[in-house]
Amino acid sequence: MSDESTFQVQFWKLTKRTGRSRPWGVRWRTAGREHSEWYATKALAESFRSELVRAGRAGEAFDVATGLPPSLTRKRGVGTFLELAVAYVDHIWPTAPPNSRRAAVVNLAAITPKFVRPLEQGPDETDLQRLASTHLLPPPRRDEALSPEDRAAVSWLRRASRPVSDLADSLALDALLHDLGTAADGRAVTSSTLDKRRAVLHRVAGYAVDTGVLAANPVTGRRTGTAQVTGGVDPRVVVNPAQARQLLAAVTYVSGRRRSDRERGWRLRAFFACLYYAGLRPGEAQQLRDTDAKLPAAGWGELVLSGSLTGVSGEHYNDGLRDPDARPLKRRRREAVRRVPAPPALVAILRYHLDRYGAAADGRLFPALSGGRVRESVYTRIWKEAREIGLSPAQAASPLAARPYDLRHAALSSWLNAGVPPTEVAERAGHSVKVLLSVYAACLDGERDAYNARIQDLLDGEA
């Protein structure tokens, strides 16, 4: 509820509009501000209108911004955008995988501090974003104690958070969508980050419609005013075969900080090789077991993928633990498998890895020294050091293979440019053909010289 409430409430009769999925509307006015909600049936609309009239006759003061009396606000459990964000996280938490929970929390934590009313001088947006992502949104951490400074910041955010109904205000929504393009420190975010924030905002607004808080999703069809992006892979990150071999060799020169961990780079060389030679996702390589790898003494082998081992921070798990989360293959049924051919170079690397290090007790090829999953922060740090060893200073300063995942991008791009049919590449990669071509369109330049030659022949003929 906002700070302004009124007893001046006027109700109208039910309104019906044709050709709509929610034809029956309830319309009313609070202190001159009009409100409406629409329902699929006349009975639902009449029920809601009766609740409004009953609250007015009971002497309840209606919130001017939301148009709701306290009894209905409590019943719905949502008044401000912060409350809506919390309700949405609670809604998805029981069934969403940890990565989806993390994405919702991270993006909502960035959105919520931007949709506030101008109260007294508020806390720094960076602090509000931190508190939203660590305490206000993830259910496992909401009961943790806060410092006096953090409690004051949380109190300010709860008071300043704008009513959900303000999302239906075109000017307010336009301002919010514009602000999504900036980070807490004022710098512009990437197009990918902006797209993710807008997508989460759209889902949250859709949840508000489903729960009756909003009549329609105001984010649908709303443009952000930014340039359209394809979301494809940047060709600058793709390494060629020689650079890939150079980087895999450089990994072996990276050692851990402890004496017992001096061969950490060697232990992960085969892990990175799976990403490049077989196009595996990091989580799929983490789940790979010795029984899943067919490694003949000569020729091509095969990797049989049955799942993915991902991991996010503990607050995104129901039990709050930081254990890895075994998931099915992406967008496939739990019992589905994917067979990926392994070229001789990868077969040799995996055979050497097994001879030298063996497998974990459960058969996994790439366990951490503790026996668990290798953390993303660990293998990302090793890859960063390998780039400094294996690339020139100019290449290391460029986006070339900046992330381990870029090895997968290089694999799929090279297969396509080698002339492998997109259907086969998509099957090996676990993509649909449509997604494959849209993501890797900018990297398909293997035939450009041939196309240029054809154009030149045409131009020469005209001359």
Side-chain angles (χ1 to χ4, degrees), residues 9-13 27-29 49 52-53 56 62:
V9 185
Q10 179 183 359
F11 306 101
W12 288 300
K13 295 181 179 180
R27 299 172 59 240
W28 73 105
R29 179 186 295 163
R49 185 180 185 279
L52 291 176
V53 173
F62 283 58

Side-chain angles (χ1 to χ4, degrees), residues 139 152 199 317 326 332 410 419 452:
Y317 287 87
R332 298 204 179 191
N452 288 345

Side-chain angles (χ1 to χ4, degrees), residues 125-254:
E125 185 176 332
T126 303
D127 292 331
L128 294 176
Q129 187 170 325
R130 170 181 59 82
L131 290 168
S133 63
T134 58
H135 289 80
L136 292 175
L137 295 174
R141 299 191 60 179
R142 289 179 193 162
D143 296 331
E144 292 183 3
L146 295 173
S147 67
E149 295 80 6
D150 285 347
R151 283 201 304 272
V154 168
S155 175
W156 184 92
L157 182 58
R158 284 176 173 153
R159 289 184 290 109
S161 184
R162 296 183 66 160
V164 177
S165 59
D166 281 1
L167 289 174
D169 185 316
S170 293
L171 294 179
L173 181 58
D174 284 344
L176 174 60
L177 291 172
H178 177 271
D179 290 344
L180 296 187
T182 59
D185 58 5
R187 293 182 298 175
V189 302
T190 64
S191 297
S192 175
T193 298
L194 177 59
D195 289 343
K196 291 175 182 177
R197 289 180 178 181
R198 187 191 181 284
V200 169
L201 178 62
H202 186 272
R203 287 194 287 270
V204 171
Y207 171 75
V209 174
D210 293 339
T211 55
V213 178
L214 290 176
N217 193 328
V219 186
T220 300
R222 180 78 62 167
R223 296 184 179 274
T224 59
T226 59
Q228 294 295 313
V229 294
T230 62
V233 173
D234 184 348
R236 296 177 299 169
V237 309
V238 177
V239 292
N240 60 41
Q243 292 168 333
R245 290 192 295 269
Q246 192 171 312
L247 285 167
L248 291 176
V251 168
T252 64
Y253 289 91
V254 179

